[in-house]
Amino acid sequence: MSTIKEVARLARVSPATVSRVMNGEVPVAEETRRRVEDAMKQLGYRPNSFARSLASNRSDCIGLVISHLAGPFMGTLMVNLEEKLRLHRKSLLVASGHNELIREQESIDFLMSRRCDGLLVQSDRLHDDALVALAAQIPLVVINRRVPGLEGQCSYVDNQQGGYLATRHLIEQGHRHIACITGPRWKQDATQRLAGYHQAMEEAGLAVPEGAVVEGTWQESSGREAVDTLRRRGVPFTALAVGNDDMAIGAMLHLKELGLSVPEDVSLVGFDDEVYAHYVTPGLTSVHVPVDRMAQAASGRVISLAYDDPWQGPLCFSTHLVERGTVAPPSSAHVTHP
Amino acid sequence: MSTIKEVARLARVSPATVSRVMNGEVPVAEETRRRVEDAMKQLGYRPNSFARSLASNRSDCIGLVISHLAGPFMGTLMVNLEEKLRLHRKSLLVASGHNELIREQESIDFLMSRRCDGLLVQSDRLHDDALVALAAQIPLVVINRRVPGLEGQCSYVDNQQGGYLATRHLIEQGHRHIACITGPRWKQDATQRLAGYHQAMEEAGLAVPEGAVVEGTWQESSGREAVDTLRRRGVPFTALAVGNDDMAIGAMLHLKELGLSVPEDVSLVGFDDEVYAHYVTPGLTSVHVPVDRMAQAASGRVISLAYDDPWQGPLCFSTHLVERGTVAPPSSAHVTHP
DNA sequence: GTCGCCAATGCAATCGATTTCATGCTCGTC
DNA sequence: GACGAGCATGAAATCGATTGCATTGGCGAC
């Protein structure tokens, strides 16, 4: 593998000039530039990224910490992050939190010791304070979460608006008894989706009866259980606003097992608009989350922070409803109760 | 940020000794080691990874090229890769091929110029030759593909065995007219799954009629279309062995739309055992692919190659069948034909 | 013709580690 | 008591780029 010196010798210039040709900031005579470029090509020269980083104190790497790499969205998220970063010739260094706080912290440490130029963090477990502190040390963008004090460095989806949309849709179809299955309360997106539900109910002058909100785990099985819980509690409902698609599908399958039909007896709206939302019959009506745009914004923003590029554009994105087949007007005859 | 020299001064030793303490290969007196470690702690010292890499000519990074980051399995794949690599204190540098040959090549170039210590490549588009050539330049492990001449550096699943398993299961249930929907023929896993189908059919002495094999795109929609194609061709079938779950689900939903029921009229086996395989009703019987073990093996192997660690263990993994509800004995009255 | 300026380029220090070789010290042996 | 072996440590070269400063040469102004 050839070095900058060999290129310099072949092009009959100094290494400094070769460096200037590569980095292109400083003017170089046309003739010289050509000679250097020829020499580089001829030798198949590849700059040594270690030496470059050492001297320039930049790594051209952006670190990504993800709470769980196999989670929903992560594919879409990574595709879009990677694409944008590579456009800027930056590499993506990935570390997973494996769903544990301590491993998320380790991951951040790990990426910091690699001296990434910037960090993208998607985490539910880390404290707001920890993120604010981190942002003081390194260009940071938080993904899918809004951290007070870090406005402008958080790229996220307006989950409350999504919850509102889902619930309002049910109300518009005539439902009055709408229960809600949420994700874990300690997750911001879960509580915000729930807030949207409350907002829509309140706006419509509908009371949310005691026990009409059930906390799930995001998983399909907890959707099933939530249905049982609601029935056990004796909460009447003709519709369910559900925090994500997996739980919605779980609820839906379980309702069928109980002899209730969707949407005739119970209407259902999911959240996330996963690819498999239409695999159930009827297809699941769901709230679409623009993960791609959120990811693009996040990567754009982290680049702007890390390399003082200019930046403009939104960091908060709104959702929209995708109607399929799980919502219909209530047939009053079928108000469900235990 | 403090440097090795500052640590050395504080501990009253030379930088060389600090280096030796860090790397631990060379013996250092107990008392000295303690002083150095105290100094490191006191200064919050973090070795500069650029300088380290420059001097040692190692990056402690493993590159990962993935044909499409949002593809099925990629989540599971990455979780397992990342976990194993981090255990060895290696970083994972990710680049996507975005489903195009040229961008896969670019990705490899990109990671090579970052001087990764090793490369993990999951690609359908790259030629065998290109991979063999690449392996001569850098420690390489190929994921989910068997490359002649690179035995021992390919971690993959026995797709033929999986195809065989699926088809034999249908045969054992009494089916004689089994059609097949495959993935794109230029993908190795697709053709191998198909080979398994042929193997099982032949073994059972069943002929595969002209037109009973339809090529799809892996996508749900192509499963639907394949069903139409089969009917148009007039191929009789009581069962379908399908190349992946998405197409299987597409076929299944479409069969229902056509008024046929699964499994009474048509039995169905998918492949991949995706999480959502049981979201359809009845749940899809499918062939489970041990992606986790394949990923662990791949990362173990690449580490062994890059850092000459010893290595042993299998690189080829077999599948198993997960029975749900889409297979039943054929009801001869319902042999499907156009 | 000389001076000064500017553009282009070279020189050499620097980044922060690793690693080879040399050195000093201790200890056991004869 | 001298010598050699062996261990712990230090000095200094090295990895391959970047970059501040010095130098050169060409050219226009006076």
Side-chain angles (χ1 to χ4, degrees), chain B residues 238-258:
Chain B
T238 62
L240 289 172
V242 189
N244 76 347
D245 285 349
D246 288 288
M247 295 194 298
I249 291 175
M252 181 167 167
L253 295 175
H254 192 47
L255 285 168
K256 284 191 187 175
E257 289 162 7
L258 295 172

Short mmCIF file of all heavy atoms in Angstrom, two decimals, chain B residues 238-258:
data_model
loop_
_atom_site.label_atom_id
_atom_site.label_comp_id
_atom_site.label_asym_id
_atom_site.label_seq_id
_atom_site.Cartn_x
_atom_site.Cartn_y
_atom_site.Cartn_z
N THR B 238 -52.79 -29.04 -4.94
CA THR B 238 -53.49 -29.04 -3.65
C THR B 238 -52.61 -28.42 -2.58
O THR B 238 -53.02 -28.26 -1.45
CB THR B 238 -53.86 -30.47 -3.22
OG1 THR B 238 -52.63 -31.20 -3.04
CG2 THR B 238 -54.72 -31.15 -4.25
N ALA B 239 -51.38 -28.12 -2.96
CA ALA B 239 -50.46 -27.53 -1.97
C ALA B 239 -49.42 -26.66 -2.67
O ALA B 239 -49.10 -26.87 -3.84
CB ALA B 239 -49.77 -28.63 -1.18
N LEU B 240 -48.92 -25.70 -1.90
CA LEU B 240 -47.89 -24.81 -2.41
C LEU B 240 -46.70 -24.79 -1.46
O LEU B 240 -46.86 -24.56 -0.26
CB LEU B 240 -48.43 -23.38 -2.52
CG LEU B 240 -49.46 -23.08 -3.61
CD1 LEU B 240 -50.03 -21.67 -3.43
CD2 LEU B 240 -48.80 -23.22 -4.98
N ALA B 241 -45.52 -25.00 -2.03
CA ALA B 241 -44.29 -24.79 -1.26
C ALA B 241 -43.75 -23.44 -1.71
O ALA B 241 -43.44 -23.25 -2.88
CB ALA B 241 -43.29 -25.90 -1.55
N VAL B 242 -43.70 -22.53 -0.77
CA VAL B 242 -43.39 -21.16 -1.15
C VAL B 242 -42.03 -20.73 -0.61
O VAL B 242 -41.64 -21.11 0.50
CB VAL B 242 -44.49 -20.19 -0.66
CG1 VAL B 242 -44.28 -18.80 -1.24
CG2 VAL B 242 -45.87 -20.72 -1.05
N GLY B 243 -41.31 -19.94 -1.39
CA GLY B 243 -39.92 -19.57 -1.11
C GLY B 243 -39.71 -18.67 0.09
O GLY B 243 -38.62 -18.66 0.67
N ASN B 244 -40.72 -17.89 0.44
CA ASN B 244 -40.60 -17.12 1.69
C ASN B 244 -41.98 -16.81 2.24
O ASN B 244 -43.00 -17.06 1.58
CB ASN B 244 -39.74 -15.86 1.50
CG ASN B 244 -40.48 -14.76 0.78
OD1 ASN B 244 -41.55 -14.99 0.20
ND2 ASN B 244 -39.92 -13.57 0.81
N ASP B 245 -42.01 -16.25 3.43
CA ASP B 245 -43.29 -16.03 4.10
C ASP B 245 -44.13 -14.95 3.44
O ASP B 245 -45.36 -15.05 3.38
CB ASP B 245 -43.06 -15.66 5.57
CG ASP B 245 -42.65 -16.86 6.40
OD1 ASP B 245 -42.74 -17.99 5.88
OD2 ASP B 245 -42.24 -16.66 7.55
N ASP B 246 -43.48 -13.90 2.96
CA ASP B 246 -44.26 -12.81 2.37
C ASP B 246 -45.04 -13.30 1.17
O ASP B 246 -46.24 -13.04 1.03
CB ASP B 246 -43.33 -11.66 1.98
CG ASP B 246 -42.81 -10.93 3.20
OD1 ASP B 246 -43.60 -10.21 3.82
OD2 ASP B 246 -41.63 -11.10 3.53
N MET B 247 -44.37 -14.02 0.29
CA MET B 247 -45.08 -14.55 -0.87
C MET B 247 -46.15 -15.55 -0.45
O MET B 247 -47.25 -15.58 -1.02
CB MET B 247 -44.10 -15.21 -1.84
CG MET B 247 -43.12 -14.22 -2.46
SD MET B 247 -42.23 -14.91 -3.89
CE MET B 247 -41.36 -16.27 -3.17
N ALA B 248 -45.82 -16.34 0.56
CA ALA B 248 -46.79 -17.32 1.03
C ALA B 248 -48.05 -16.62 1.54
O ALA B 248 -49.19 -17.04 1.25
CB ALA B 248 -46.18 -18.19 2.13
N ILE B 249 -47.83 -15.55 2.28
CA ILE B 249 -48.99 -14.82 2.81
C ILE B 249 -49.76 -14.17 1.67
O ILE B 249 -51.00 -14.18 1.66
CB ILE B 249 -48.52 -13.79 3.86
CG1 ILE B 249 -48.02 -14.52 5.10
CG2 ILE B 249 -49.66 -12.83 4.21
CD1 ILE B 249 -47.41 -13.62 6.16
N GLY B 250 -49.05 -13.63 0.71
CA GLY B 250 -49.72 -13.06 -0.46
C GLY B 250 -50.58 -14.11 -1.16
O GLY B 250 -51.76 -13.87 -1.48
N ALA B 251 -49.99 -15.27 -1.35
CA ALA B 251 -50.72 -16.36 -2.01
C ALA B 251 -51.95 -16.73 -1.19
O ALA B 251 -53.06 -16.90 -1.71
CB ALA B 251 -49.81 -17.56 -2.18
N MET B 252 -51.74 -16.81 0.08
CA MET B 252 -52.81 -17.24 0.98
C MET B 252 -53.98 -16.25 0.95
O MET B 252 -55.15 -16.64 0.81
CB MET B 252 -52.22 -17.31 2.38
CG MET B 252 -53.16 -17.75 3.45
SD MET B 252 -52.18 -18.14 4.92
CE MET B 252 -53.50 -18.23 6.14
N LEU B 253 -53.65 -14.97 1.06
CA LEU B 253 -54.71 -13.97 1.05
C LEU B 253 -55.45 -14.00 -0.29
O LEU B 253 -56.67 -13.87 -0.35
CB LEU B 253 -54.12 -12.57 1.30
CG LEU B 253 -53.49 -12.37 2.69
CD1 LEU B 253 -52.82 -11.00 2.79
CD2 LEU B 253 -54.52 -12.54 3.79
N HIS B 254 -54.68 -14.19 -1.34
CA HIS B 254 -55.31 -14.19 -2.65
C HIS B 254 -56.19 -15.42 -2.85
O HIS B 254 -57.29 -15.33 -3.41
CB HIS B 254 -54.23 -14.12 -3.73
CG HIS B 254 -54.77 -13.82 -5.08
ND1 HIS B 254 -55.68 -12.81 -5.31
CD2 HIS B 254 -54.56 -14.40 -6.29
CE1 HIS B 254 -55.99 -12.78 -6.60
NE2 HIS B 254 -55.32 -13.74 -7.21
N LEU B 255 -55.74 -16.55 -2.38
CA LEU B 255 -56.55 -17.76 -2.47
C LEU B 255 -57.90 -17.54 -1.79
O LEU B 255 -58.95 -17.92 -2.31
CB LEU B 255 -55.82 -18.95 -1.83
CG LEU B 255 -54.67 -19.55 -2.63
CD1 LEU B 255 -53.84 -20.50 -1.78
CD2 LEU B 255 -55.21 -20.28 -3.88
N LYS B 256 -57.83 -16.90 -0.64
CA LYS B 256 -59.08 -16.64 0.07
C LYS B 256 -59.99 -15.74 -0.76
O LYS B 256 -61.21 -15.95 -0.84
CB LYS B 256 -58.79 -15.95 1.41
CG LYS B 256 -58.26 -16.90 2.46
CD LYS B 256 -58.26 -16.20 3.81
CE LYS B 256 -57.59 -17.06 4.87
NZ LYS B 256 -57.49 -16.34 6.15
N GLU B 257 -59.38 -14.73 -1.36
CA GLU B 257 -60.19 -13.83 -2.19
C GLU B 257 -60.85 -14.60 -3.33
O GLU B 257 -61.93 -14.25 -3.80
CB GLU B 257 -59.30 -12.74 -2.79
CG GLU B 257 -58.82 -11.71 -1.78
CD GLU B 257 -57.63 -10.91 -2.30
OE1 GLU B 257 -57.29 -11.06 -3.49
OE2 GLU B 257 -57.05 -10.15 -1.51
N LEU B 258 -60.17 -15.66 -3.77
CA LEU B 258 -60.71 -16.45 -4.87
C LEU B 258 -61.72 -17.47 -4.38
O LEU B 258 -62.20 -18.31 -5.14
CB LEU B 258 -59.57 -17.17 -5.59
CG LEU B 258 -58.57 -16.26 -6.30
CD1 LEU B 258 -57.38 -17.07 -6.82
CD2 LEU B 258 -59.24 -15.51 -7.45
#
